[in-house]
Every structure is written in C-alpha cells, then in structure tokens.
Amino acid sequence: DSGSFGGFTSGGRIAIIPIYGEITTSTDSGSIGYLDVIESLKQAEADASIDAILLDIDSPGGSVVSTKQIVAFIQTDINKPIVSWIGEVGASGGYYLAASTDYILADSDSITGSIGVISEQYNVQGLFEKLGIEVVDINAGKFKTIGSPFREMTEEEKEILQELVDQANGHFKQDIIKFRKEKGLDEEKFALVADGRILTGQQAFDAGLIDATATRQQAILKASQLAGFEGVPETETISQEHFSLSDLFFSAGKNFGQGFSSGVNPTENESEGIQAK
C-alpha cells in the first residue's frame, strides 16, 4: 500500500491554491489574476508529489471572461482530484469556479450563490452640469458612445446592454447545471435560487449547490480521500508571488520600525515592533 509507512497511514499530499479577492485579468491588491491561478494549477498538476488539489476560495467573483478561463482550464487540463472550499465568500464567479471542481464544501455560514451577471453604468451628467462642465462627443456610429457616463442612456441602448448581460448569465447558469446535474441538482430548485440572491453555505447545501458544509481542514481531508488516502495529508500552498516597488518601501519601513523599536526597548521581542495594520 503506497499510503502506508511503518504502520502509519499517509494522507498523501494536497496542493492548496488560494483564490482570494476579485477575479480579474491581473493580480493586484484585493484581486487575483486568472493567469496566476492557471499557472498555480499547472504546477500542481505537473508535480508528481501532489495527489490532489484544493481551491481555497474567498472571492465575490469578478470578470466573466477571466473566470471562464480558469473554469475551462480546470475542466480540460486537470486530471487530479480537485476540491473547492468556500470560506467567507464564494459568490458569483467565486461559486462558478467551485462548481467546476469535483466536490464543493463550504462553511455553513459562508456567503455563496449570487448566480447572476451585472453591468454597472454611471451617469455623472447632473454633477457636470452643476460644475459647469460640458462634454462634447465627436463620434461615428449610432451606438459608439453607449454607456457614456455623461448623458442619460436611451431605452434602445439599455436593451442592447441587457442582451449582453442575459447572454453571459445564460451561459453561467447552463454551466452550473452541467457541472452539478450528475450530483443531483434539481433544476426546479436551482431556478428558484439562481436569481442573483446570496445564500449561506447551509442554504446552498439545501439547494444542491454544494456537496457538504465543512471546515477547511475537513475539506483538505476530503481532497485526500478522493485521491485514495485515509490519513491526514501534507499540504503545500501554491501561489504566484509578485514583487513591486511599493512592496520594497513597505518592507524597508517595517524593518526600520522594528529596528527602532528594538533599539529603544532592547528587551522587547523584535517581531513585535511597529507594524502596519
């Protein structure tokens, strides 16, 4: 038995991939880029020592196209067991990612669902009028300025944008049904909650959107079980690190603060110096 060593049962090795923040085209503060997620998935799939993958999700969703790229990669390029766990939030695109995996677990009090698509358009015409600012549009094409924040949107323009949103939303729902149908998703129950509303993890379980309510550690154990192991697994977090000039200044400032604090009070533990919170 490859999972047994000297009388102890191994739980294998699980790669944990964090999906924290809004899903976008590039990773930034408060967001995660889809290319980084795909790169982490590639590394986990290629590493022979990794037996299964866990997506650790805390995301309200994000770009439709960016989310679809990750979903497509999971569906076509990941052959190892892949599990998702929703902690605080796994809504909209965050839930979409979870639905594309083999098994979904969530904290019973997490926020899930929000199955829908939104396009927000702003209108600052009134503000500009108060400030005495006039915007002059020179364009070619009847709908070239559709969505302009400098004027009221016409009913015809609203219909065009509504069609775009409805198409994306239709694809979203179709994929969820495809991913979850073999796991017993009731389409009538699904229709009742697939209207953009948010659900708790427990409500999502009752509606068939997830497979179980559980803690993060239980989700890790489930990933191990799907890989054919019984013990407690080892884990490795895989993420793509990005270094910027702001990171350099933050690090330098933190180190200076810790050094200054230590110099003033040498008996204080250096790790408890001035910290940015």
Side-chain angles (χ1 to χ4, degrees):
D1 182 355
S2 62
S4 179
F5 300 91
F8 295 95
T9 303
S10 166
R13 199 153 181 262
I14 309 302
I16 299 177
I17 299 178
I19 311 290
Y20 298 160
E22 185 179 357
I23 302 164
T24 59
T25 55
S26 60
T27 300
D28 204 343
S29 176
S31 68
I32 182 165
Y34 77 90
L35 290 174
D36 281 349
V37 177
I38 289 175
E39 182 59 33
S40 295
L41 287 166
K42 283 181 180 178
Q43 290 179 21
E45 180 69 18
D47 189 338
S49 72
I50 297 296
D51 300 295
I53 301 167
L54 174 72
L55 298 186
D56 184 0
I57 298 174
D58 185 1
S59 171
S63 161
V64 171
V65 174
S66 295
T67 306
K68 285 175 65 178
Q69 306 316 298
I70 304 172
V71 168
F73 188 85
I74 290 172
Q75 290 287 298
T76 60
D77 292 79
I78 299 298
N79 297 305
K80 295 177 179 180
I82 180 167
V83 170
S84 52
W85 181 72
I86 296 171
E88 295 286 347
V89 179
S92 194
Y95 173 72
Y96 189 17
L97 287 188
S100 69
T101 65
D102 298 325
Y103 201 89
I104 312 172
L105 305 99
D107 186 280
S108 60
D109 293 318
S110 64
I111 298 299
T112 65
S114 189
I115 297 170
V117 176
I118 185 173
S119 174
E120 295 179 327
Q121 307 295 326
Y122 298 93
N123 185 347
V124 297
Q125 182 180 5
L127 174 62
F128 273 34
E129 288 175 354
K130 289 181 179 180
L131 296 175
I133 300 173
E134 180 182 357
V135 177
V136 178
D137 277 324
I138 300 174
N139 62 79
K142 180 179 178 182
F143 297 109
K144 188 61 180 177
T145 60
I146 189 170
S148 169
F150 307 121
R151 62 174 176 79
E152 187 77 19
M153 188 180 297
T154 68
E155 289 303 315
E156 194 174 7
E157 289 173 331
K158 289 179 183 178
E159 289 177 7
I160 291 173
L161 292 181
Q162 187 64 54
E163 287 179 6
L164 300 181
V165 170
D166 288 344
Q167 175 181 303
N169 190 44
H171 291 161
F172 186 1
K173 290 181 179 180
Q174 288 170 14
D175 281 350
I176 299 299
I177 291 172
K178 181 176 71 174
F179 298 152
R180 299 292 303 168
K181 194 166 186 179
E182 64 182 34
K183 298 175 183 177
L185 178 67
D186 185 310
E187 289 192 44
E188 290 186 4
K189 286 186 178 179
F190 175 70
L192 294 176
V193 298
D195 57 2
R197 75 181 66 191
I198 58 173
L199 305 166
T200 66
Q202 183 62 52
Q203 290 172 328
F205 173 73
D206 294 339
L209 296 183
I210 68 172
D211 298 295
T213 57
T215 64
R216 186 174 184 271
Q217 184 59 34
Q218 288 170 329
I220 293 171
L221 291 174
K222 183 63 181 180
S224 173
Q225 291 167 5
L226 290 184
F229 297 93
E230 296 180 1
V232 177
E234 296 180 10
T235 61
E236 176 186 349
T237 298
I238 301 179
S239 62
Q240 308 305 308
E241 300 299 328
H242 293 272
F243 183 80
S244 67
L245 193 59
S246 61
D247 295 327
L248 176 64
F249 286 129
F250 175 80
S251 177
K254 180 178 178 182
N255 291 336
F256 173 79
Q258 289 178 340
F260 177 77
S261 174
S262 177
V264 172
N265 184 8
T267 61
E268 184 178 359
N269 187 322
E270 288 189 10
S271 66
E272 296 177 351
I274 300 173
Q275 297 182 26
K277 294 289 188 180

